[in-house]
């Protein structure tokens, strides 16, 4: 559920610089005003804080903006709407989420497919948000890119086994335990 009233109510004096300068990572999606996203990304770059951007819903993003993002995480439909030449500039990886087909990881070492986790899907609402949140946790705790994607894949899969976006989001311990199986 999107609450555009709340999502669009950003005060001009929000201390973004203070918040972002102390952050381990900045996770953004396109359901807040774009001026806030741009400002957050610029501040993150200035303070060398990595960024994750889920471009949903897709808008017409400039290549120069997308190349500021450290980890870009569109789903396969959104990816088709993005401009070419994204993997340049500050972008370390493009992670294209593809539901039951897993995740396509594109980085400087090439492209790789990471398989989806097979579960009994009850509700996919929130799976993308779960993937992004889990990826942010994993990458900031020192996991490699590939291990972070596997962790996020596991989290997203587990989130689909329950009905509801927030209710479905698994705990860190549950994700780790299922990865070991």
């Amino acid at each position: 559920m999107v609450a555009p009233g709340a999502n669009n109510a950003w005060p001009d004096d929000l201390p973004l610089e203070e918040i972002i300068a102390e952050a381990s990572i900045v996770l953004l999606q396109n359901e807040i005003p774009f001026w806030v996203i741009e400002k957050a990304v610029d501040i993150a770059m200035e303070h060398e804080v990595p960024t994750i951007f889920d471009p949903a819903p897709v808008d017409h993003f400039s290549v120069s903006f997308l190349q500021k993002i450290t980890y870009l995480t569109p789903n396969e439909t959104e990816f088709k709407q993005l401009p070419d030449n994204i993997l340049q500039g500050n972008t370390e990886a493009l992670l294209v989420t593809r539901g039951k087909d897993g995740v396509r990881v594109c980085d400087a070492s090439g492209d790789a497919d990471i398989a989806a986790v097979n579960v009994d899907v009850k509700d996919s609402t929130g799976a993308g948000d779960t993937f992004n949140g889990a990826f942010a946790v994993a990458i900031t705790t020192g996991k490699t890119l590939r291990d972070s994607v596997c962790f996020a894949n596991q989290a997203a899969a587990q989130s689909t086994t329950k009905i509801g976006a927030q209710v479905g989001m698994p705990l860190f311990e549950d994700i780790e335990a299922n990865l070991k199986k």
Side-chain angles (χ1 to χ4, degrees), residues 1-10 29 31-33:
M1 179 169 160
V2 175
N7 287 1
N8 289 320
W10 285 82
Q29 41 74 346
E31 291 176 351
I32 60 175

Side-chain angles (χ1 to χ4, degrees), residues 77-126:
T77 302
E78 296 155 356
F79 172 68
K80 293 174 185 173
Q81 298 173 56
L82 296 175
D84 294 333
N85 304 322
I86 302 169
L87 277 179
Q88 296 177 14
N90 194 49
T91 306
E92 290 183 22
L94 170 66
L95 312 174
V96 182
T97 58
R98 303 176 300 163
K100 65 179 176 43
D101 294 325
V103 179
R104 166 68 53 99
V105 177
C106 308
D107 65 4
S109 64
D111 297 355
D113 289 321
I114 296 182
V117 177
N118 190 19
V119 295
D120 181 22
V121 176
K122 291 189 171 62
D123 182 10
S124 64
T125 306

Side-chain angles (χ1 to χ4, degrees), residues 12-165:
D12 292 335
D13 61 349
L14 186 69
L16 283 178
E17 184 142 12
E18 294 171 29
I19 296 166
I20 293 170
E22 298 298 318
S24 299
I25 198 158
V26 175
L27 171 57
L28 300 158
Q29 41 74 346
N30 202 35
E31 291 176 351
I32 60 175
F34 192 66
W35 71 266
V36 177
I37 295 168
E38 284 184 304
K39 185 174 181 178
V41 168
D42 287 342
I43 293 168
M45 282 188 69
E46 181 181 325
H47 291 279
E48 299 181 2
V49 175
T51 53
I52 300 170
F53 181 56
D54 180 353
V58 170
D59 200 347
H60 297 287
F61 304 110
S62 70
V63 172
S64 61
F65 166 74
L66 293 173
Q67 290 175 346
K68 293 179 182 180
I69 306 300
T70 315
Y71 304 103
L72 188 62
T73 62
N75 67 29
E76 59 190 333
T77 302
E78 296 155 356
F79 172 68
K80 293 174 185 173
Q81 298 173 56
L82 296 175
D84 294 333
N85 304 322
I86 302 169
L87 277 179
Q88 296 177 14
N90 194 49
T91 306
E92 290 183 22
L94 170 66
L95 312 174
V96 182
T97 58
R98 303 176 300 163
K100 65 179 176 43
D101 294 325
V103 179
R104 166 68 53 99
V105 177
C106 308
D107 65 4
S109 64
D111 297 355
D113 289 321
I114 296 182
V117 177
N118 190 19
V119 295
D120 181 22
V121 176
K122 291 189 171 62
D123 182 10
S124 64
T125 306
D129 294 329
T130 302
F131 177 90
N132 281 306
F135 178 76
V137 167
I139 204 76
T140 58
T141 56
K143 292 184 185 291
T144 66
L145 176 64
R146 183 179 194 83
D147 287 346
S148 294
V149 172
C150 289
F151 182 87
N153 248 2
Q154 179 66 50
Q158 284 179 239
S159 78
T160 67
T161 64
K162 296 178 182 171
I163 296 176

